[in-house]
Amino acid sequence: MKSIDRIAIFGAGAMGAAYAGLFTDNSDMRVFFAARGDRFARLDGAIINVNGSDYKISVVHPDRVDRPFDLVLVTLKHHHLTEPALKDINALTGPDTLILSVMNGLESEKLIGHVCGHEKIVPAIAVGIDAVHQNNCFTFANPGKIIFGNDPALSNADDIDRLERIKMALARHRGINLQSSDIDQWMEMLNTLSPDGKTSMLQDMEAKRKTEVEIFGGAVEVMGKEDAIPTPVNSTFLNLIRVMESNQ
Ligand SMILES: NC(=O)C1=CN([C@@H]2O[C@H](COP(=O)(O)OP(=O)(O)OC[C@H]3O[C@@H](n4cnc5c(N)ncnc54)[C@H](OP(=O)(O)O)[C@@H]3O)[C@@H](O)[C@H]2O)C=CC1
Ligand SMILES: CC(C)(CO)C(=O)C(=O)O
């Protein structure tokens, strides 16, 4: 496998800055943020502070990529994954690029894979990190971990076949038998997060930004309806957050 020397981070928010700091401190990789327009202007030459240390991360414009990156780390919010953003992610890649999305939800790998090529996607999820973003200051008490997975259903298939396999994958996903020990493990992980930290969603609420609630609670509600499984507690929290968002 080709070595990873250059990494582009797409989304210089709480997670993007945390990983930019971690990669800069713990590897020889050259770390870049990728952005265009006002974001490029804001980030280019800027000093960001992560856990008390200053970093000046180079910034690449998607229209001015001289050679593909070895790794693209996607750290956007779900609603940022628009067609133009997906095109910009694609502009950072070449045939040997790996793409790692640490975004929450079930959709980002599919959307990015559709535009950039499913074969480039390394399926993964970030857990236990508690990254907070305030202006150019970023903090996290725990780096957490990235858990790598593999979904063979999403690679090497034509579109129709892939669609069927995605449906199969979803069925398999719903067939997973969650045990109470899984919930215990999740509670243990939550207990490792900083008491002074804020979830990504709380940060969005406080900043009066759109939240990702529709891909979390919204997705559970849709699946519950489809499978005729009542999800009243989920619906209560979902509707509370929807009302809070609409009152902003
Ligand atoms: N925060 C956490 O601890 C954790 C977060 N996650 C997940 O990770 C993902 C990222 O979360 P988080 O880092 O908190 O989110 P943030 O909102 O802090 O960061 C998202 C960043 O993406 C930038 N962005 C949006 N659109 C574009 C674009 N077109 N081009 C370049 N940059 C863009 C935003 O820029 P701008 O500010 O200019 O709009 C923002 O800086 C989410 O899916 C979240 O659920 C998962 C585990 C933990
Ligand atoms: C689970 C949690 C709270 C931290 O990993 C998270 O994913 C978030 O802040 O969005």
Side-chain angles (χ1 to χ4, degrees):
M1 203 182 86
K2 199 173 169 296
S3 67
I4 296 177
D5 300 321
R6 291 165 76 244
I7 169 170
I9 300 179
F10 201 89
M15 293 285 271
Y19 286 115
L22 285 166
F23 281 122
T24 303
D25 289 349
N26 299 295
S27 79
D28 294 331
M29 282 187 261
R30 285 202 61 201
V31 182
F32 296 76
F33 286 134
R36 66 165 63 242
D38 289 349
R39 283 192 188 94
F40 179 91
R42 188 164 16 102
L43 290 170
D44 194 28
I47 305 285
I48 59 163
N49 187 282
V50 185
N51 280 355
S53 299
D54 284 344
Y55 298 84
K56 192 168 170 182
I57 307 289
S58 307
V59 188
V60 62
H61 190 292
D63 292 343
R64 299 195 282 270
V65 179
D66 54 0
R67 61 196 162 100
F69 285 85
D70 303 312
L71 178 66
V72 176
L73 181 70
V74 187
T75 49
L76 299 173
K77 285 274 163 64
H78 176 72
H79 43 273
H80 297 147
L81 266 185
T82 57
E83 217 168 290
L86 288 163
K87 278 190 186 151
D88 281 351
I89 295 170
N90 194 35
L92 306 168
T93 73
D96 295 327
T97 304
L98 296 175
I99 306 176
L100 181 62
S101 159
V102 289
M103 296 169 57
N104 273 327
L106 301 170
E107 297 296 316
S108 68
E109 281 88 357
K110 280 182 244 169
L111 292 170
I112 300 166
H114 189 66
V115 172
C116 304
H118 292 283
E119 70 289 348
K120 297 190 182 118
I121 306 285
V122 184
I125 184 163
V127 293
I129 181 165
D130 46 11
V132 178
H133 175 190
Q134 203 141 39
N135 303 318
N136 270 3
C137 282
F138 303 85
T139 50
F140 62 93
N142 299 289
K145 57 185 174 186
I146 296 179
I147 300 176
F148 294 95
N150 186 24
D151 192 347
L154 293 180
S155 61
N156 300 328
D158 66 39
D159 280 347
I160 303 281
D161 192 20
R162 191 175 291 132
L163 199 61
E164 289 311 306
R165 282 161 183 259
I166 287 170
K167 279 199 251 165
M168 268 168 49
L170 192 60
R172 200 176 59 222
H173 175 77
R174 294 189 200 189
I176 290 172
N177 186 12
L178 278 181
Q179 308 281 336
S180 57
S181 58
D182 295 306
I183 297 174
D184 293 343
Q185 270 183 36
W186 185 250
M187 297 308 283
E188 275 169 31
M189 186 284 289
L190 288 181
N191 284 335
T192 65
L193 301 180
S194 164
D196 302 321
K198 292 178 182 180
T199 63
S200 189
M201 188 174 290
L202 177 59
Q203 293 176 63
D204 284 338
M205 293 296 279
E206 288 185 349
K208 301 196 184 310
R209 292 189 297 252
K210 183 175 165 54
T211 76
E212 294 181 304
V213 74
E214 294 303 332
I215 58 154
F216 303 153
V220 169
E221 190 172 67
V222 169
M223 288 188 221
K225 279 187 184 146
E226 283 170 1
D227 292 358
I229 297 171
T231 57
V233 176
N234 176 74
S235 296
T236 303
F237 285 111
L238 174 62
N239 287 324
L240 281 171
I241 294 168
R242 280 175 176 157
V243 168
M244 287 162 82
E245 264 193 301
S246 69
N247 285 339
Q248 282 179 356

